Amino acid sequence: MKKVKVGIVGLGRLGRRHAENLAFRIPRCELSAVCSVIEEEVQEVMEAWNIPYGYTKYEDILANKELDAIFIASPSNFHCEQIKQALDLGFHVFSEKPLGLYVEEAYDVQQAVKAHPNQVFMLGFMRRYDRSYMAAKEKIEAGVIGKPILIRCYGLDPANKMESFLKFARANYSGGLFLDMSIHDFDLARWYLGVEAKEVWAIGGSYARPEFDEIDDAETGAAMVRFDNNAIGIFVAGRNCAHGYHIETEIIGTKGTLRIGTVPERNQVVIMKDEGVIQECVDGFLERFEQAYLSEAEEFINCILENRTPNINVEDGVQSTILGYSCKTSFETGQLVQVKAKNMIYE
């Protein structure tokens, strides 16, 4: 039985989870190579999982002719160049979000993908593979809530992860709150509403941690978006959620409403004690979207084996980057931004 031989770049929190899925949970996939700038991570994974090849330079993993595909889980600012390099050398490519931190580089990747039509390219918008989000999409398409006219999204990271994020951001690995966090919600909005954004207004600030001001970012922010069909988007993102990792989505239609994740419960266990009734919350994205991360990696491998195109394509990455960068621009300038490809206009 043919297996797809994959090399992964990036062994951080998410990269490690992707690597585990590729190595142990997808029967027709073989994780053959790992790459990280941290040599200790490479050696640990190679020895523990019996991986034959390990590298500390991206160019070296691309020189491995045994590989069929490259799985990119490196910091965001490396994605575009690494995608283009891998495509040019004939690899199938999976890249984590975002496609790019700037609109022009996202367009560059779009051209690179179009220049290699026989190679599979897939972007890591894993929520589209989460069972709850998939069920909501099916209900929208079935007309259960009529025409969707408003989407409200909360994306709140645990407060206890702020130190690690600040380290990440200070190293210039992040594109800011809206590109780093809200990008998933922007993709969901496009997916559910079926239209592109028209104009945005974004605000935010640093409330518990003034260090965010020092890096020109927001600890908590909100964006209001008008879409082409006059539908409304309300997006809230934050780094200081005391109760854990809170991802919530509401889609309001002309005939009803759908809600996903209103209570970020870890499981169905309810604790009843003298201090009250407690439902424990999920601790982070790896726990909440465990199934989705596996399902999207399975889809990538199956697309290679079956010679077909994933449902999530480079255009989804480009349009989400345009919207995310528009929100970043609105936040930084305090102005309403007209969302237009290649030429954003301020009012």
Side-chain angles (χ1 to χ4, degrees), residues 267-284:
N267 49 46
Q268 296 298 310
V269 176
V270 176
I271 304 169
M272 290 173 277
K273 298 177 62 178
D274 53 356
E275 61 258 51
V277 178
I278 302 167
Q279 285 181 279
E280 293 182 318
C281 298
V282 293
D283 180 57

Side-chain angles (χ1 to χ4, degrees), residues 76-150:
S76 302
N77 59 318
F78 294 109
H79 291 178
C80 286
E81 193 59 34
Q82 290 180 341
I83 291 167
K84 291 188 292 183
Q85 286 179 275
L87 288 171
D88 285 343
L89 290 171
F91 294 104
H92 304 289
V93 178
F94 179 101
S95 175
E96 258 304 326
K97 63 79 185 171
L99 182 66
L101 300 184
Y102 302 96
V103 176
E104 287 303 324
E105 65 178 12
Y107 280 122
D108 287 343
V109 175
Q110 184 180 44
Q111 293 305 311
V113 171
K114 288 182 176 180
H116 299 87
N118 296 322
Q119 293 158 238
V120 172
F121 174 77
M122 183 172 170
L123 194 61
F125 285 136
M126 81 294 179
R127 293 189 198 175
R128 294 203 197 188
Y129 292 91
D130 176 79
R131 294 189 184 102
S132 295
Y133 284 97
M134 292 172 69
K137 175 67 170 176
E138 292 170 0
K139 293 185 185 302
I140 291 171
E141 292 185 341
V144 172
I145 63 168
K147 179 182 178 181
I149 57 172
L150 186 148

Side-chain angles (χ1 to χ4, degrees), residues 146-331:
K147 179 182 178 181
I149 57 172
L150 186 148
I151 183 167
R152 173 184 62 83
C153 301
Y154 289 168
L156 308 175
D157 268 359
N160 61 16
K161 297 293 193 297
M162 273 202 289
E163 287 298 335
S164 62
F165 172 74
L166 281 166
K167 181 180 178 181
F168 178 82
R170 284 171 176 146
N172 294 319
Y173 291 157
S174 168
L177 183 72
F178 296 105
L179 275 164
D180 188 50
M181 287 188 64
S182 297
I183 197 82
H184 283 297
D185 294 317
F186 297 153
D187 178 66
L188 285 176
R190 296 179 55 253
W191 191 45
Y192 286 146
L193 299 176
V195 291
E196 302 299 345
K198 183 177 180 179
E199 58 185 2
V200 306
W201 184 57
I203 58 176
S206 301
Y207 305 98
R209 298 294 297 270
E211 296 97 318
F212 284 91
D213 288 331
E214 299 169 8
I215 56 175
D216 298 320
D217 200 357
E219 171 195 303
T220 301
M224 179 168 285
V225 178
R226 185 197 303 275
F227 290 86
D228 282 337
N229 65 350
N230 213 33
I232 302 165
I234 302 169
F235 304 91
V236 177
R239 303 281 186 188
N240 188 27
C241 186
H243 61 266
Y245 181 65
H246 191 148
I247 300 298
E248 180 178 344
T249 305
E250 179 179 50
I251 309 104
I252 297 175
T254 54
K255 296 181 180 179
T257 297
L258 299 172
R259 284 186 181 175
I260 308 159
T262 302
V263 178
E265 57 190 9
R266 168 166 284 163
N267 49 46
Q268 296 298 310
V269 176
V270 176
I271 304 169
M272 290 173 277
K273 298 177 62 178
D274 53 356
E275 61 258 51
V277 178
I278 302 167
Q279 285 181 279
E280 293 182 318
C281 298
V282 293
D283 180 57
F285 59 88
L286 294 178
E287 181 180 6
R288 168 61 182 87
F289 292 107
E290 179 181 10
Q291 166 264 313
Y293 283 121
L294 175 57
S295 294
E296 70 172 358
E298 289 176 323
E299 173 68 0
F300 176 60
I301 298 302
N302 288 336
C303 283
I304 295 172
L305 292 168
E306 298 165 12
N307 192 28
R308 58 181 175 84
T309 302
N311 290 328
I312 302 176
N313 56 41
V314 69
E315 179 71 12
D316 295 312
V318 170
Q319 293 299 331
S320 296
T321 299
I322 290 171
L323 179 50
Y325 196 79
S326 299
C327 290
K328 173 182 170 68
T329 302
S330 178
F331 163 67

Side-chain angles (χ1 to χ4, degrees), residues 3-11 14-34 45 49 51 61 67 69-73 94-95 122 293-302 304:
K3 287 190 174 185
V4 177
K5 293 188 175 183
V6 180
I8 189 169
V9 53
L11 292 172
L14 182 52
R16 183 69 174 246
R17 173 59 56 84
H18 280 312
E20 289 177 355
N21 286 336
L22 295 167
F24 303 116
R25 302 185 181 102
I26 304 176
R28 299 190 67 182
C29 172
E30 180 181 321
L31 182 62
S32 300
V34 295
V45 171
W49 300 354
I51 305 298
I61 195 171
L67 301 177
I70 298 295
F71 207 100
I72 297 172
F94 179 101
S95 175
M122 183 172 170
Y293 283 121
L294 175 57
S295 294
E296 70 172 358
E298 289 176 323
E299 173 68 0
F300 176 60
I301 298 302
N302 288 336
I304 295 172

